Each structure stands twice: as structure tokens, then as C-alpha cells.
Amino acid sequence: MKWVYIEDISKYVGMEVELRGWLHNKRSSGGIRFLLIRDGTGVIQGVASKKDTEKESFSLIDDLNQEASIVVKGKVREEKRSPIGFELTINSIQVIQNKEGYPISPKSHGVDFLLQNRHLWVRSSKQWAILRIRAEVIKAVEDYLWNKGFLRMDAPIFTPSACEGTTTLFGVDYFGESTYLSQSGQLYNEATCMGFGRVYCFGPSFRAEKSKTRRHLTEFWQLEPEMAYAHLEDVMELAEGMVGYTVNRVLKKRESELNTLERDTKLFLSIKTPFPQIRYEEAVRRVNELGESMELGEDFGAPQETVLSGSFNTPFMITHFPESVKAFYMRKESLNSDSTLSFDMLAPEGYGEIIGGGEREFDRKELEKNIKSRNLPMDAFKWYLDLRKFGSVPHAGFGLGIERMVAWICGIKHIRETIPFPRMLGRVYP
Ligand code: ATP
Ligand code: MG
């Protein structure tokens, strides 16, 4: 008999198949037993009865516990009332393992308990839906860049220098030398993009974020494209194209997961590129108008981002941040200006920043000036300055935080559920 997956079940109507999975839930009604079977690709209801099911199999159903691992053979039927449109008439069940006391029952649990049991929690339907959407988002953004001719060039995780100050860095002893876990692959992307034209890196970024917000993890996954000869407008266009493509793709391919999450997808349908753009000064003015105070020259904090992005129905971009809130490598709008050629993309509905990027300073003298004025160690940037010595060209790029993007698409409040094993202030288990 053929072993098949639930996600492919529509191809097997009328046929006998074998499913290998786990018992998600069960109930009985008279002489009939209804088993919700999940196999990682979906959930199907199996129906067992004295008439259709082998006697021995039928008799063991009442002792099956939630999450018992089972191999079920049966016949696939169309069933209009089923959420997936199909059911299985069960012939036989083989029990691989069966134990009572699975800690996560269908009743509700506190979030600390659930995080402590994250290794089991990932099996629950809502978590399953979120993580399936995460996988789709990752594949979508990579496909998008690949189709635009970008090559994946991985950046190192151990990095020798503290590029932007040490306050949010995790130090690691590297055979007696002090190194840090990478906060971003950007500087390395700037090197590889001069070798390959269009590159991106994708990997974990580490930041010792000491504030507890619903938007910050200490380990998150960042996708960072970098493009030689590109200017601010070019990478803004790339970013909005990528976000638009990804949202559409999730809508098409992960509809049932979005339904499981009860995500209202109406707003997604009206998302069109180009996204609205406002300059930094205008954004500050609006934030104050919306009732959160902030001064020109300051960065947007969580409350400011929340009100501003709550006033939009579509992703939008804030451009030309002042030098004071951006890193040393951001290129200025003009020599005497203190505005930079930078942008952030914010997701609507209060979600806030999902992307940060801009044009990099490619003039060696200017870059050296920035490094000095910020008291950064010039030595550490020797190789980086080399890039401005040999064949330096305008270039630009951005970083997208996968977890923030997934949280917005899924419509969930806290990003801790958007990664299989979240790392946060006060949590490194399991
Ligand atoms: P924030 O101001 O929200 O802390 P940032 O401006 O420091 O973020 P960038 O350095 O611009 O972040 O990083 C690029 C992207 O990486 C952000 O737009 C965001 O999506 C994501 N990101 C940054 N820090 C975190 C974090 N601690 N947890 C999850 N995602 C993050
Ligand atoms: Mg940013």
C-alpha cells in the first residue's frame, strides 16, 4: 500500500493509502470513532467503525492518547463538510508508540508554559501554521532575489570587530582572541557584491537586545541583498517588489494556514507597489500629530512606530533619516546635509519596521571621516576601506527581518512564535 502525505490526498480519492502520523485529537459518537490524524503536512479526519475497521484496530482506539504515533491504512473519500474536503475510512491502525500525559492539551495554557515546552508546542495547529508560513516566506524572498539575478553569498557568523559599537554584541572567545557573533552580514556583502554584482546573505543575526519588546529577539534571521551600482531608489524598488511578491505568494500557497490563524487578509489584497513614501521629517511630524511625542533628530521607538504604522493600510517607507540615528556607512544626501540616503519599510496595522537599508558611503575620505568622528577603531576597518580604494562604486542594500515579516503576515502580536526556537532576554531553553 502506498505511503502518502495528507497535503497530496486529493490525488488518491477512492484509493487505499497509508498515512504515517500522530493522533491530534479524537472523539466518539455511538459505534463510530473519529480520529484527527496529522502527519506534518496537514490534518485529516479518519473514521473508524465496526463495519469498516479491522476488529483489533478498532478495539485499541479507545486507549490511544493525544500524540500517539500511528500508521493508518484506509480509503480516501471526498467529504464536503471536511475543512480539507476529504476523509479517510479507516481499515487498520498500527501503533508505533502510545503514552498518556502529553502536556499540551487542547485547553489553553500560559505562554511561559508553552515556551518551556516549545519542543512539543510546534506540533499545535496554530504554531504549525505560523512555521509553515515562515518556511514559505523564506522560500519566496529567496526565489524573488534569485529571479532578479542575485546570488546567495553567505557571510561569517564569527566577526572580528565591533562595527557599530559593542552595546548589543555577544562576545565569543575564539581561541583566545575576542570575536563577536554577527549582527549583520552587510559589510561582507559589500565585498562580495563588488565580486558578483548582485548578492544576498541569509542567516542568523545576533543582538544583545536588553529591552523586552514584542519585536525583538536576540537571535533572528536576516535576509540582506546588496547591489553594486545601485542607488537608494533602486533598492527601495527591490524591497517593495519583494514584499509584494511574498505577500501574494503566501496568500496563494498558504491559504489554509492563514485560515487556521484566522488572519483577516482583506488588507493584503489592496497592497500595490509602489508603496507610499514619506521623508523622515514628515514622519516625525505625523507621529506628534498622532499623539506620541518625539523630536527631530531622534529615532522612532516602539510606541512611535506603532502609532505611525497603525495609520497605514499598506506597507510604507520612511526615507532620508538623519545621520544621528544611522550607522557610519550610510551615505549622505549631499556633502553638507545631515540627511542620509536611507530608508526603513514599515508594515501597517501597528507592526512597524520590517526592513532597514540605504546607500553606502563609497568615498574613502568621507568614510574615514565618519569612522573617526564616531570613535570607531580604524584598524578594524582596513579591509572595508580597501573596497573604497579599488574600483569603488555607488552601492546600496537592505536587511529584512524574517520574523517581523512573518508576524505581520500571520497577524500575531509577538515575534517569539515566528521562529521554531526563540531566543530572547531570559530565554535560551529549550
Ligand atoms: P529596531 O530599531 O526595530 O531595533 P534596527 O533598526 O536596529 O531595528 P536594522 O539594523 O535596520 O534594525 O536591521 C534590519 C532588520 O532586521 C529590521 O528592519 C528588522 O526587521 C530586523 N531586526 C532588527 N533587530 C531585530 C531583533 N532584535 N529581532 C528581530 N528582528 C530584528
Ligand atoms: Mg533599522
Side-chain angles (χ1 to χ4, degrees):
M1 193 163 303
K2 195 171 169 163
W3 169 26
V4 304
Y5 283 97
I6 295 169
E7 66 183 350
D8 302 321
I9 209 76
S10 64
K11 295 186 212 149
Y12 301 99
V13 176
M15 293 162 71
E16 304 270 337
V17 299
E18 177 178 304
L19 296 178
R20 302 180 183 178
W22 296 264
L23 181 65
H24 194 51
N25 213 337
K26 67 172 185 188
R27 66 188 172 85
S28 66
S29 167
I32 304 186
R33 305 285 180 274
F34 298 96
L35 308 186
L36 281 183
I37 304 154
R38 58 165 200 90
D39 72 348
T41 72
V43 178
I44 191 168
Q45 176 160 276
V47 183
S49 63
K50 290 225 165 83
K51 175 165 79 71
D52 298 312
T53 311
E54 281 173 11
K55 206 170 153 204
E56 260 169 59
S57 296
F58 190 83
S59 64
L60 57 80
I61 291 176
D62 288 342
D63 293 328
L64 285 182
N65 293 290
Q66 188 188 347
E67 289 306 310
S69 34
I70 49 180
V71 174
V72 183
K73 292 179 179 151
K75 193 170 180 178
V76 181
R77 283 186 284 110
E78 263 179 292
E79 171 54 66
K80 289 225 169 56
R81 287 167 298 177
S82 149
I84 63 164
F86 305 94
E87 277 189 354
L88 190 77
T89 303
I90 297 177
N91 288 342
S92 71
I93 301 173
Q94 180 197 351
V95 180
I96 308 299
Q97 199 234 2
N98 180 33
K99 176 125 177 58
E100 58 198 329
Y102 185 71
I104 303 178
S105 60
K107 75 166 190 206
S108 64
H109 297 278
V111 74
D112 275 334
F113 174 84
L114 291 168
L115 285 169
Q116 200 66 9
N117 287 285
R118 184 64 174 169
H119 50 298
L120 303 174
W121 190 24
V122 293
R123 304 180 192 189
S124 301
S125 47
K126 194 176 154 202
Q127 299 307 312
W128 175 84
I130 295 168
L131 294 175
R132 298 253 299 179
I133 290 172
R134 175 190 171 95
E136 190 69 44
V137 165
I138 290 172
K139 186 72 171 63
V141 290
E142 287 208 80
D143 282 353
Y144 184 81
L145 291 177
W146 183 262
N147 289 335
K148 293 263 177 204
F150 283 72
L151 288 188
R152 177 167 170 168
M153 286 290 145
D154 297 316
I157 302 291
F158 288 128
T159 55
S161 57
C163 299
E164 297 171 38
T166 51
T167 48
T168 59
L169 284 173
F170 285 108
V172 184
D173 172 64
Y174 190 80
F175 306 117
E177 195 180 322
S178 72
T179 60
Y180 302 92
L181 296 180
S182 171
Q183 291 196 300
S184 154
Q186 184 204 313
L187 303 191
Y188 294 96
N189 275 343
E190 290 183 60
T192 54
C193 95
M194 298 305 159
F196 303 88
R198 289 161 294 180
V199 299
Y200 70 96
C201 66
F202 178 52
S205 293
F206 303 87
R207 296 188 191 176
E209 309 274 10
K210 293 187 190 85
S211 59
K212 275 192 183 170
T213 83
R214 60 190 177 86
R215 303 189 167 104
H216 290 93
L217 298 170
T218 53
E219 180 178 322
F220 65 97
W221 284 67
Q222 208 182 165
L223 179 97
E224 298 173 272
E226 191 75 29
M227 222 176 148
Y229 283 104
H231 294 282
L232 179 62
E233 313 77 71
D234 302 311
V235 286
M236 286 172 67
E237 204 181 305
L238 183 72
E240 63 193 1
M242 186 168 92
V243 169
Y245 170 80
T246 303
V247 169
N248 264 315
R249 173 140 153 197
V250 173
L251 276 179
K252 278 203 199 91
K253 298 191 68 166
R254 296 291 172 221
E255 195 192 352
S256 79
E257 287 83 349
L258 290 167
N259 288 338
T260 299
L261 297 169
E262 296 172 22
R263 176 62 163 137
D264 181 356
T265 55
K266 264 199 294 312
L267 284 181
F268 291 154
L269 300 172
S270 61
I271 292 178
K272 283 196 188 66
T273 56
F275 296 163
Q277 297 177 12
I278 50 174
R279 279 187 72 109
Y280 167 82
E281 293 80 7
E282 166 67 7
V284 172
R285 194 187 64 71
R286 289 198 198 181
V287 164
N288 282 289
E289 214 174 73
L290 289 161
E292 282 293 339
S293 62
M294 73 178 282
E295 304 279 328
L296 282 171
E298 287 177 359
D299 203 357
F300 304 93
Q304 285 81 12
E305 276 188 26
T306 304
V307 291
L308 187 61
S309 89
S311 70
F312 280 84
N313 283 334
T314 155
F316 64 101
M317 297 190 265
I318 304 175
T319 67
H320 303 94
F321 285 78
E323 251 191 305
S324 53
V325 303
K326 289 289 171 191
F328 73 95
Y329 49 70
M330 282 295 181
R331 187 168 164 83
K332 288 204 225 30
E333 198 176 10
S334 62
L335 270 188
N336 300 321
S337 152
D338 73 353
S339 297
T340 59
L341 295 168
S342 56
F343 80 102
D344 276 5
M345 187 190 291
L346 278 72
E349 302 171 74
Y351 279 91
E353 180 185 335
I354 54 174
I355 287 179
E359 215 168 309
R360 324 303 185 187
E361 183 53 72
F362 64 96
D363 181 273
R364 192 168 125 227
K365 291 234 161 62
E366 281 300 308
L367 194 58
E368 277 177 358
K369 237 168 45 193
N370 293 351
I371 293 173
K372 272 197 202 112
S373 70
R374 293 179 191 231
N375 291 318
L376 295 169
M378 193 65 76
D379 276 359
F381 293 105
K382 195 174 167 298
W383 70 268
Y384 188 66
L385 285 160
D386 262 0
L387 303 175
R388 275 71 181 168
K389 226 189 216 167
F390 306 108
S392 188
V393 297
H395 60 289
F398 61 83
L400 162 76
I402 292 293
E403 291 77 17
R404 299 227 187 134
M405 174 96 170
V406 173
W408 163 53
I409 292 179
C410 292
I412 54 173
K413 279 219 181 71
H414 202 298
I415 66 169
R416 65 191 162 209
E417 292 176 40
T418 62
I419 184 165
F421 295 95
R423 298 289 176 250
M424 302 172 282
L425 189 64
R427 174 157 305 278
V428 282
Y429 177 92

